[in-house]
Each structure stands twice: as C-alpha cells, then as structure tokens.
Amino acid sequence: MALDNPAFSRNSAFSSQGAQAVAQDVSAQQLHEMYNQPATLPDREVMTVENTISKTVAAFAVLVVAAAIGWVLTPTMPALFWIASIIGFVLALVNIFKKEPSPALILAYAGAQGIFIGGISQIYEGMYSGIVAQAVIGTLVVFGVTLALFASGKIRASKKATKVFLIAMVGYLVFSVINMILMWTGVNDDPWGLRGAEIAGIPLGLVIGVLVIIMAAYSLVLDFDLIQQGVRNRAPKKYGWTGAFGIMVTVIWLYLEILRFIAIARD
C-alpha cells in the first residue's frame, strides 16, 4: 500500500515488513553506533501518533502563513504563485525521492505550496466571491469526517479498494493530461476544457469532481493507515515528518479539487 501516496512509497518504515527493513537501514548507516545502543530504539526516539501530529501542525502552520503572503502579493505580483508552484513541485519530488525525511525541505515545500495556494485562491475569489471560504470548509469537513471514521474503525484501507483507487488515479491522470493538451492547443476553447462538456445537462467536471473528492478522501485513509503502520513498526522519530508531508500533499490536492468543483458548479 506504500505505493498509494508517493510521499510514503520510498520509505520502508511504512511497509508491512517495515520493522525489519528499518532495522537493516539503521544498521547499514550506523553500524558502529549500534554496538553501543540497545537492541531497539528507546520510546522517546520512535515515531508516535502524537509527535507526527505535532509535526503535521507545524507544517500546516507554515502553509497557512505562506498562503496569506501569496494571497496579499498575487494581485501586484501575478507571476509569484506560478513560480511558487514550480518550486513546490520540485521540492515535492525531492522529498519523495529523498531516502530520509528532511524537516527543512518539507517546511520549504509547505512554504512554496502555501504561496501557490494563496495566489490561486485569490484568483478564484476574484471570480467567485466567497468560494475560498466554501472550499476551506469543504476540505475541513472531508478531512474531519474521514479522520473520525478511520479513528472509530468504520473505514479501513483494503487491498481490493486500493487497487481500484490506483486504477482510478491513473485514469484521472490520463484524463487531466489530455484535457490540458486540448486546452493549450486550442482544440477545446471551453474554460474548463473537457470538464465543461455536459452530460444530461450536468457538467462533466461535476461528475468527475465528486469521484475525485472521494478518491482524495480514500487517499487520506491510506495516509492514516501508513502512519499507523510506521508507529507499529517503531520507526525512528524523524519519519513523523514523512507522515506530515504525506498528509499535506493529500490535503492540498483535496482543497484544489473542491475549489475547482465549486467553481464549475457556480458557473
């Protein structure tokens, strides 16, 4: 299941065989220190739900502050949020492919993505008054309900559901790329591209939007499940930053999809 969110896929600490993999990883990197350490990491040095939450809160605090900066500066510096989006994308790749989590790079990603989120939110707000508040509330509701259902044990990740999720993700990626090409080349001049096409009077973007929001919610379930797996594996404390990064990636995706869904609905 670590393949479901690329933020977790590079880290054996979150796999079902993670306990053994983490031990092997530590022994390879800190062979000399291992002779002077206990057989297992002390409790204060292992990943827990609590320290993962604290790291996640810190990352989102940076995201929110940066979003406020992006919101204020975008009207006078419209290119800023595009530059931030590119930097954020590069930092996302760096964090995904980096073997060990780097708090500085993860917080830098949060800052860059925050400026992008603030900028694009400002643009949407200019076209659809009140849409940002609606999107934020929608994101919080989906996140809160998903977390509550997961914590209560009512929903869990399964192999079958995850396979369906991965197939749907590939299909959505292909659709998005084709739609982008058609819009850039002028083949489709609708502001939403293929999403603007109507089926029985309903824009295709709304139908797809509902499905994608459900996919993002399931992605959160996978994130929670993988963090739980990391805690069970007694992964080193630093991997709490990986958990924070993974949740942030999913929540940003969820917010952008809800923002676009509401915009298409209001059109």
Side-chain angles (χ1 to χ4, degrees):
M1 290 187 187
L3 294 173
D4 307 319
N5 188 327
F8 295 97
S9 62
R10 306 288 297 180
N11 294 293
S12 57
F14 300 97
S15 68
S16 56
Q17 292 82 29
Q20 180 180 356
V22 168
Q24 291 174 345
D25 180 59
V26 172
S27 64
Q29 296 182 38
Q30 302 175 349
L31 183 61
H32 297 293
E33 289 85 349
M34 287 294 289
Y35 289 107
N36 299 317
Q37 292 180 354
T40 59
L41 291 171
D43 289 343
R44 67 178 182 278
E45 296 298 329
V46 300
M47 176 182 175
T48 64
V49 172
E50 289 75 16
N51 61 42
T52 301
I53 290 174
S54 66
K55 292 174 174 59
T56 303
V57 170
F60 273 98
V62 172
L63 181 76
V64 171
V65 171
I69 295 173
W71 178 280
V72 172
L73 296 181
T74 293
T76 56
M77 302 173 62
L80 179 63
F81 85 99
W82 286 115
I83 296 172
S85 70
I86 295 172
I87 295 174
F89 177 72
V90 172
L91 287 172
L93 293 178
V94 171
N95 282 304
I96 287 170
F97 288 100
K98 202 173 185 304
K99 189 172 183 181
E100 294 189 354
S102 168
L105 288 177
I106 290 171
L107 293 176
Y109 166 80
Q113 285 295 82
I115 292 175
F116 166 68
I117 292 295
I120 200 167
S121 296
Q122 171 67 256
I123 293 173
Y124 270 93
E125 185 69 20
M127 295 186 291
Y128 312 95
S129 178
I131 191 173
V132 171
Q134 293 173 336
V136 169
I137 292 172
T139 303
L140 291 175
V141 168
V142 173
F143 181 88
V145 170
T146 305
L147 178 59
L149 291 174
F150 181 85
S152 65
K154 288 182 169 55
I155 56 172
R156 282 289 184 268
S158 67
K159 291 184 178 180
K160 184 176 181 179
T162 302
K163 288 180 181 178
V164 174
F165 169 79
L166 290 175
I167 293 171
M169 278 296 296
V170 172
Y172 181 60
L173 178 62
V174 172
F175 169 82
S176 298
V177 171
I178 293 174
N179 189 45
M180 186 169 55
I181 292 174
L182 292 177
M183 293 174 67
W184 282 358
T185 57
V187 174
N188 191 321
D189 58 359
D190 187 283
W192 301 109
L194 295 175
R195 289 184 173 88
E198 293 189 356
I199 300 176
I202 301 175
L204 181 61
L206 294 184
V207 178
I208 294 177
V210 171
L211 297 176
V212 174
I213 290 171
I214 293 173
M215 287 164 55
Y218 185 72
S219 182
L220 282 173
V221 173
L222 293 173
D223 294 346
F224 299 150
D225 187 70
L226 289 166
I227 289 171
Q228 199 174 65
Q229 184 67 49
V231 172
R232 285 196 297 266
N233 290 344
R234 292 181 63 81
K237 189 176 180 179
K238 60 187 176 183
Y239 285 103
W241 284 106
T242 302
F245 173 63
I247 290 177
M248 191 169 8
V249 169
T250 303
V251 171
I252 290 173
W253 172 38
L254 174 63
Y255 170 76
L256 292 174
E257 292 295 345
I258 291 178
L259 191 66
R260 177 163 51 196
F261 177 84
I262 297 173
I264 294 174
R266 289 178 64 168
D267 263 352

mmCIF file of all heavy atoms in Angstrom, residues 71 120-135 190-192 255 258-267:
data_model
loop_
_atom_site.group_PDB
_atom_site.id
_atom_site.type_symbol
_atom_site.label_atom_id
_atom_site.label_comp_id
_atom_site.label_asym_id
_atom_site.label_seq_id
_atom_site.Cartn_x
_atom_site.Cartn_y
_atom_site.Cartn_z
ATOM 1 N N TRP A 71 -1.668 35.309 -0.962
ATOM 2 C CA TRP A 71 -2.957 35.996 -1.157
ATOM 3 C C TRP A 71 -2.740 37.507 -1.312
ATOM 4 O O TRP A 71 -3.335 38.151 -2.175
ATOM 5 C CB TRP A 71 -3.848 35.699 0.038
ATOM 6 C CG TRP A 71 -5.190 36.373 0.004
ATOM 7 C CD1 TRP A 71 -5.466 37.671 0.346
ATOM 8 C CD2 TRP A 71 -6.439 35.793 -0.384
ATOM 9 N NE1 TRP A 71 -6.799 37.933 0.207
ATOM 10 C CE2 TRP A 71 -7.431 36.801 -0.249
ATOM 11 C CE3 TRP A 71 -6.816 34.515 -0.823
ATOM 12 C CZ2 TRP A 71 -8.769 36.561 -0.541
ATOM 13 C CZ3 TRP A 71 -8.149 34.283 -1.110
ATOM 14 C CH2 TRP A 71 -9.119 35.290 -0.980
ATOM 15 N N ILE A 120 -3.559 31.218 -6.061
ATOM 16 C CA ILE A 120 -4.647 30.686 -6.895
ATOM 17 C C ILE A 120 -6.000 30.895 -6.196
ATOM 18 O O ILE A 120 -7.027 31.098 -6.855
ATOM 19 C CB ILE A 120 -4.406 29.198 -7.219
ATOM 20 C CG1 ILE A 120 -5.239 28.802 -8.447
ATOM 21 C CG2 ILE A 120 -4.718 28.288 -6.045
ATOM 22 C CD1 ILE A 120 -4.848 27.465 -9.038
ATOM 23 N N SER A 121 -6.001 30.890 -4.857
ATOM 24 C CA SER A 121 -7.236 31.154 -4.120
ATOM 25 C C SER A 121 -7.680 32.599 -4.339
ATOM 26 O O SER A 121 -8.875 32.877 -4.472
ATOM 27 C CB SER A 121 -7.033 30.890 -2.628
ATOM 28 O OG SER A 121 -6.753 29.527 -2.383
ATOM 29 N N GLN A 122 -6.729 33.516 -4.373
ATOM 30 C CA GLN A 122 -7.037 34.919 -4.622
ATOM 31 C C GLN A 122 -7.677 35.103 -5.997
ATOM 32 O O GLN A 122 -8.649 35.856 -6.161
ATOM 33 C CB GLN A 122 -5.750 35.745 -4.540
ATOM 34 C CG GLN A 122 -5.859 37.185 -4.989
ATOM 35 C CD GLN A 122 -6.732 38.017 -4.094
ATOM 36 O OE1 GLN A 122 -7.861 38.321 -4.457
ATOM 37 N NE2 GLN A 122 -6.218 38.399 -2.921
ATOM 38 N N ILE A 123 -7.159 34.386 -6.982
ATOM 39 C CA ILE A 123 -7.703 34.470 -8.344
ATOM 40 C C ILE A 123 -9.130 33.924 -8.391
ATOM 41 O O ILE A 123 -10.038 34.534 -8.971
ATOM 42 C CB ILE A 123 -6.795 33.706 -9.330
ATOM 43 C CG1 ILE A 123 -5.444 34.421 -9.449
ATOM 44 C CG2 ILE A 123 -7.457 33.585 -10.703
ATOM 45 C CD1 ILE A 123 -4.419 33.666 -10.255
ATOM 46 N N TYR A 124 -9.351 32.765 -7.773
ATOM 47 C CA TYR A 124 -10.698 32.186 -7.736
ATOM 48 C C TYR A 124 -11.669 33.104 -6.997
ATOM 49 O O TYR A 124 -12.824 33.272 -7.402
ATOM 50 C CB TYR A 124 -10.665 30.814 -7.061
ATOM 51 C CG TYR A 124 -10.433 29.657 -8.002
ATOM 52 C CD1 TYR A 124 -9.158 29.170 -8.249
ATOM 53 C CD2 TYR A 124 -11.496 29.037 -8.637
ATOM 54 C CE1 TYR A 124 -8.940 28.094 -9.108
ATOM 55 C CE2 TYR A 124 -11.303 27.964 -9.498
ATOM 56 C CZ TYR A 124 -10.015 27.501 -9.724
ATOM 57 O OH TYR A 124 -9.814 26.442 -10.581
ATOM 58 N N GLU A 125 -11.200 33.683 -5.891
ATOM 59 C CA GLU A 125 -12.059 34.561 -5.095
ATOM 60 C C GLU A 125 -12.477 35.787 -5.896
ATOM 61 O O GLU A 125 -13.595 36.292 -5.744
ATOM 62 C CB GLU A 125 -11.327 34.994 -3.817
ATOM 63 C CG GLU A 125 -12.150 35.815 -2.851
ATOM 64 C CD GLU A 125 -13.274 35.037 -2.182
ATOM 65 O OE1 GLU A 125 -13.196 33.787 -2.160
ATOM 66 O OE2 GLU A 125 -14.221 35.668 -1.675
ATOM 67 N N GLY A 126 -11.581 36.280 -6.753
ATOM 68 C CA GLY A 126 -11.904 37.420 -7.588
ATOM 69 C C GLY A 126 -12.997 37.111 -8.594
ATOM 70 O O GLY A 126 -13.756 37.997 -8.998
ATOM 71 N N MET A 127 -13.091 35.855 -9.006
ATOM 72 C CA MET A 127 -14.106 35.453 -9.982
ATOM 73 C C MET A 127 -15.388 34.967 -9.309
ATOM 74 O O MET A 127 -16.480 35.133 -9.845
ATOM 75 C CB MET A 127 -13.545 34.343 -10.886
ATOM 76 C CG MET A 127 -12.376 34.788 -11.758
ATOM 77 S SD MET A 127 -11.862 33.513 -12.940
ATOM 78 C CE MET A 127 -11.167 32.284 -11.845
ATOM 79 N N TYR A 128 -15.242 34.336 -8.144
ATOM 80 C CA TYR A 128 -16.401 33.773 -7.445
ATOM 81 C C TYR A 128 -16.318 34.160 -5.969
ATOM 82 O O TYR A 128 -15.640 33.496 -5.190
ATOM 83 C CB TYR A 128 -16.427 32.246 -7.573
ATOM 84 C CG TYR A 128 -16.224 31.724 -8.968
ATOM 85 C CD1 TYR A 128 -14.954 31.338 -9.410
ATOM 86 C CD2 TYR A 128 -17.288 31.610 -9.857
ATOM 87 C CE1 TYR A 128 -14.758 30.852 -10.693
ATOM 88 C CE2 TYR A 128 -17.093 31.120 -11.142
ATOM 89 C CZ TYR A 128 -15.830 30.751 -11.558
ATOM 90 O OH TYR A 128 -15.643 30.273 -12.820
ATOM 91 N N SER A 129 -16.980 35.231 -5.614
ATOM 92 C CA SER A 129 -16.916 35.742 -4.245
ATOM 93 C C SER A 129 -17.368 34.685 -3.230
ATOM 94 O O SER A 129 -18.416 34.054 -3.390
ATOM 95 C CB SER A 129 -17.793 36.986 -4.121
ATOM 96 O OG SER A 129 -17.781 37.475 -2.801
ATOM 97 N N GLY A 130 -16.565 34.503 -2.203
ATOM 98 C CA GLY A 130 -16.898 33.563 -1.132
ATOM 99 C C GLY A 130 -16.489 32.134 -1.385
ATOM 100 O O GLY A 130 -16.664 31.265 -0.522
ATOM 101 N N ILE A 131 -15.902 31.859 -2.552
ATOM 102 C CA ILE A 131 -15.589 30.468 -2.907
ATOM 103 C C ILE A 131 -14.487 29.873 -2.030
ATOM 104 O O ILE A 131 -14.507 28.678 -1.721
ATOM 105 C CB ILE A 131 -15.195 30.365 -4.406
ATOM 106 C CG1 ILE A 131 -15.136 28.893 -4.821
ATOM 107 C CG2 ILE A 131 -13.875 31.067 -4.679
ATOM 108 C CD1 ILE A 131 -14.925 28.696 -6.311
ATOM 109 N N VAL A 132 -13.537 30.706 -1.614
ATOM 110 C CA VAL A 132 -12.422 30.191 -0.809
ATOM 111 C C VAL A 132 -12.919 29.688 0.542
ATOM 112 O O VAL A 132 -12.524 28.617 1.006
ATOM 113 C CB VAL A 132 -11.331 31.269 -0.635
ATOM 114 C CG1 VAL A 132 -10.280 30.810 0.374
ATOM 115 C CG2 VAL A 132 -10.668 31.573 -1.973
ATOM 116 N N ALA A 133 -13.787 30.465 1.180
ATOM 117 C CA ALA A 133 -14.350 30.030 2.468
ATOM 118 C C ALA A 133 -15.108 28.719 2.301
ATOM 119 O O ALA A 133 -15.002 27.815 3.141
ATOM 120 C CB ALA A 133 -15.277 31.109 3.024
ATOM 121 N N GLN A 134 -15.857 28.600 1.200
ATOM 122 C CA GLN A 134 -16.598 27.365 0.944
ATOM 123 C C GLN A 134 -15.654 26.183 0.753
ATOM 124 O O GLN A 134 -15.899 25.087 1.274
ATOM 125 C CB GLN A 134 -17.477 27.540 -0.299
ATOM 126 C CG GLN A 134 -18.602 28.547 -0.124
ATOM 127 C CD GLN A 134 -19.343 28.819 -1.421
ATOM 128 O OE1 GLN A 134 -18.804 28.631 -2.508
ATOM 129 N NE2 GLN A 134 -20.581 29.271 -1.315
ATOM 130 N N ALA A 135 -14.561 26.408 0.006
ATOM 131 C CA ALA A 135 -13.599 25.331 -0.259
ATOM 132 C C ALA A 135 -12.862 24.917 1.012
ATOM 133 O O ALA A 135 -12.611 23.728 1.240
ATOM 134 C CB ALA A 135 -12.607 25.768 -1.331
ATOM 135 N N ASP A 190 -13.340 25.724 -24.261
ATOM 136 C CA ASP A 190 -14.112 25.884 -23.042
ATOM 137 C C ASP A 190 -13.159 26.195 -21.889
ATOM 138 O O ASP A 190 -12.082 25.589 -21.802
ATOM 139 C CB ASP A 190 -14.887 24.592 -22.731
ATOM 140 C CG ASP A 190 -15.849 24.755 -21.568
ATOM 141 O OD1 ASP A 190 -15.381 24.746 -20.411
ATOM 142 O OD2 ASP A 190 -17.062 24.896 -21.811
ATOM 143 N N PRO A 191 -13.509 27.155 -21.005
ATOM 144 C CA PRO A 191 -12.616 27.492 -19.884
ATOM 145 C C PRO A 191 -12.229 26.293 -19.020
ATOM 146 O O PRO A 191 -11.165 26.284 -18.417
ATOM 147 C CB PRO A 191 -13.446 28.503 -19.073
ATOM 148 C CG PRO A 191 -14.392 29.094 -20.053
ATOM 149 C CD PRO A 191 -14.719 27.990 -21.008
ATOM 150 N N TRP A 192 -13.097 25.270 -18.969
ATOM 151 C CA TRP A 192 -12.811 24.076 -18.168
ATOM 152 C C TRP A 192 -12.391 22.895 -19.034
ATOM 153 O O TRP A 192 -12.191 21.794 -18.531
ATOM 154 C CB TRP A 192 -14.033 23.679 -17.333
ATOM 155 C CG TRP A 192 -14.483 24.758 -16.404
ATOM 156 C CD1 TRP A 192 -15.613 25.523 -16.508
ATOM 157 C CD2 TRP A 192 -13.805 25.225 -15.230
ATOM 158 N NE1 TRP A 192 -15.680 26.420 -15.478
ATOM 159 C CE2 TRP A 192 -14.595 26.256 -14.677
ATOM 160 C CE3 TRP A 192 -12.619 24.864 -14.597
ATOM 161 C CZ2 TRP A 192 -14.231 26.947 -13.519
ATOM 162 C CZ3 TRP A 192 -12.259 25.544 -13.443
ATOM 163 C CH2 TRP A 192 -13.050 26.570 -12.918
ATOM 164 N N TYR A 255 -8.096 20.162 -1.415
ATOM 165 C CA TYR A 255 -8.555 21.559 -1.425
ATOM 166 C C TYR A 255 -8.689 22.082 -2.852
ATOM 167 O O TYR A 255 -9.701 22.715 -3.200
ATOM 168 C CB TYR A 255 -7.576 22.435 -0.642
ATOM 169 C CG TYR A 255 -7.845 23.911 -0.799
ATOM 170 C CD1 TYR A 255 -8.909 24.525 -0.132
ATOM 171 C CD2 TYR A 255 -7.051 24.698 -1.633
ATOM 172 C CE1 TYR A 255 -9.159 25.876 -0.283
ATOM 173 C CE2 TYR A 255 -7.299 26.057 -1.795
ATOM 174 C CZ TYR A 255 -8.360 26.638 -1.114
ATOM 175 O OH TYR A 255 -8.613 27.988 -1.284
ATOM 176 N N ILE A 258 -11.762 20.551 -4.556
ATOM 177 C CA ILE A 258 -13.013 21.124 -4.055
ATOM 178 C C ILE A 258 -13.185 22.545 -4.581
ATOM 179 O O ILE A 258 -14.291 22.950 -4.959
ATOM 180 C CB ILE A 258 -13.039 21.097 -2.514
ATOM 181 C CG1 ILE A 258 -13.148 19.652 -2.010
ATOM 182 C CG2 ILE A 258 -14.198 21.932 -1.977
ATOM 183 C CD1 ILE A 258 -13.137 19.513 -0.497
ATOM 184 N N LEU A 259 -12.085 23.297 -4.640
ATOM 185 C CA LEU A 259 -12.136 24.663 -5.161
ATOM 186 C C LEU A 259 -12.628 24.662 -6.606
ATOM 187 O O LEU A 259 -13.506 25.446 -6.981
ATOM 188 C CB LEU A 259 -10.739 25.288 -5.066
ATOM 189 C CG LEU A 259 -10.613 26.795 -5.308
ATOM 190 C CD1 LEU A 259 -11.323 27.578 -4.209
ATOM 191 C CD2 LEU A 259 -9.137 27.200 -5.356
ATOM 192 N N ARG A 260 -12.081 23.779 -7.417
ATOM 193 C CA ARG A 260 -12.486 23.709 -8.822
ATOM 194 C C ARG A 260 -13.921 23.194 -8.945
ATOM 195 O O ARG A 260 -14.687 23.683 -9.786
ATOM 196 C CB ARG A 260 -11.538 22.801 -9.610
ATOM 197 C CG ARG A 260 -11.926 22.626 -11.066
ATOM 198 C CD ARG A 260 -10.784 22.096 -11.889
ATOM 199 N NE ARG A 260 -10.199 20.914 -11.308
ATOM 200 C CZ ARG A 260 -8.992 20.448 -11.673
ATOM 201 N NH1 ARG A 260 -8.273 21.080 -12.576
ATOM 202 N NH2 ARG A 260 -8.509 19.346 -11.116
ATOM 203 N N PHE A 261 -14.284 22.225 -8.123
ATOM 204 C CA PHE A 261 -15.639 21.670 -8.168
ATOM 205 C C PHE A 261 -16.680 22.765 -7.903
ATOM 206 O O PHE A 261 -17.680 22.875 -8.612
ATOM 207 C CB PHE A 261 -15.768 20.558 -7.120
ATOM 208 C CG PHE A 261 -17.138 19.962 -7.010
ATOM 209 C CD1 PHE A 261 -17.537 18.947 -7.866
ATOM 210 C CD2 PHE A 261 -18.047 20.436 -6.075
ATOM 211 C CE1 PHE A 261 -18.819 18.389 -7.784
ATOM 212 C CE2 PHE A 261 -19.326 19.896 -5.968
ATOM 213 C CZ PHE A 261 -19.707 18.865 -6.837
ATOM 214 N N ILE A 262 -16.437 23.586 -6.872
ATOM 215 C CA ILE A 262 -17.381 24.653 -6.546
ATOM 216 C C ILE A 262 -17.429 25.695 -7.657
ATOM 217 O O ILE A 262 -18.509 26.205 -7.994
ATOM 218 C CB ILE A 262 -16.990 25.315 -5.198
ATOM 219 C CG1 ILE A 262 -17.083 24.300 -4.060
ATOM 220 C CG2 ILE A 262 -17.904 26.509 -4.907
ATOM 221 C CD1 ILE A 262 -16.558 24.819 -2.726
ATOM 222 N N ALA A 263 -16.272 25.992 -8.248
ATOM 223 C CA ALA A 263 -16.232 26.981 -9.333
ATOM 224 C C ALA A 263 -17.060 26.498 -10.536
ATOM 225 O O ALA A 263 -17.828 27.271 -11.122
ATOM 226 C CB ALA A 263 -14.793 27.231 -9.753
ATOM 227 N N ILE A 264 -16.915 25.228 -10.885
ATOM 228 C CA ILE A 264 -17.695 24.687 -12.017
ATOM 229 C C ILE A 264 -19.176 24.692 -11.683
ATOM 230 O O ILE A 264 -20.021 25.037 -12.522
ATOM 231 C CB ILE A 264 -17.229 23.254 -12.352
ATOM 232 C CG1 ILE A 264 -15.787 23.270 -12.872
ATOM 233 C CG2 ILE A 264 -18.147 22.608 -13.385
ATOM 234 C CD1 ILE A 264 -15.182 21.888 -13.097
ATOM 235 N N ALA A 265 -19.527 24.365 -10.454
ATOM 236 C CA ALA A 265 -20.921 24.361 -10.020
ATOM 237 C C ALA A 265 -21.514 25.769 -10.084
ATOM 238 O O ALA A 265 -22.658 25.966 -10.525
ATOM 239 C CB ALA A 265 -21.047 23.802 -8.613
ATOM 240 N N ARG A 266 -20.740 26.769 -9.687
ATOM 241 C CA ARG A 266 -21.237 28.136 -9.669
ATOM 242 C C ARG A 266 -21.300 28.722 -11.091
ATOM 243 O O ARG A 266 -22.070 29.652 -11.336
ATOM 244 C CB ARG A 266 -20.371 29.001 -8.748
ATOM 245 C CG ARG A 266 -20.595 28.636 -7.293
ATOM 246 C CD ARG A 266 -19.729 29.437 -6.337
ATOM 247 N NE ARG A 266 -20.042 30.849 -6.385
ATOM 248 C CZ ARG A 266 -19.587 31.726 -5.479
ATOM 249 N NH1 ARG A 266 -18.820 31.297 -4.466
ATOM 250 N NH2 ARG A 266 -19.875 33.003 -5.560
ATOM 251 N N ASP A 267 -20.487 28.211 -11.987
ATOM 252 C CA ASP A 267 -20.582 28.627 -13.391
ATOM 253 C C ASP A 267 -21.924 28.212 -13.986
ATOM 254 O O ASP A 267 -22.393 28.813 -14.924
ATOM 255 C CB ASP A 267 -19.443 28.009 -14.205
ATOM 256 C CG ASP A 267 -18.277 28.978 -14.366
ATOM 257 O OD1 ASP A 267 -18.435 30.146 -13.985
ATOM 258 O OD2 ASP A 267 -17.226 28.560 -14.846
#
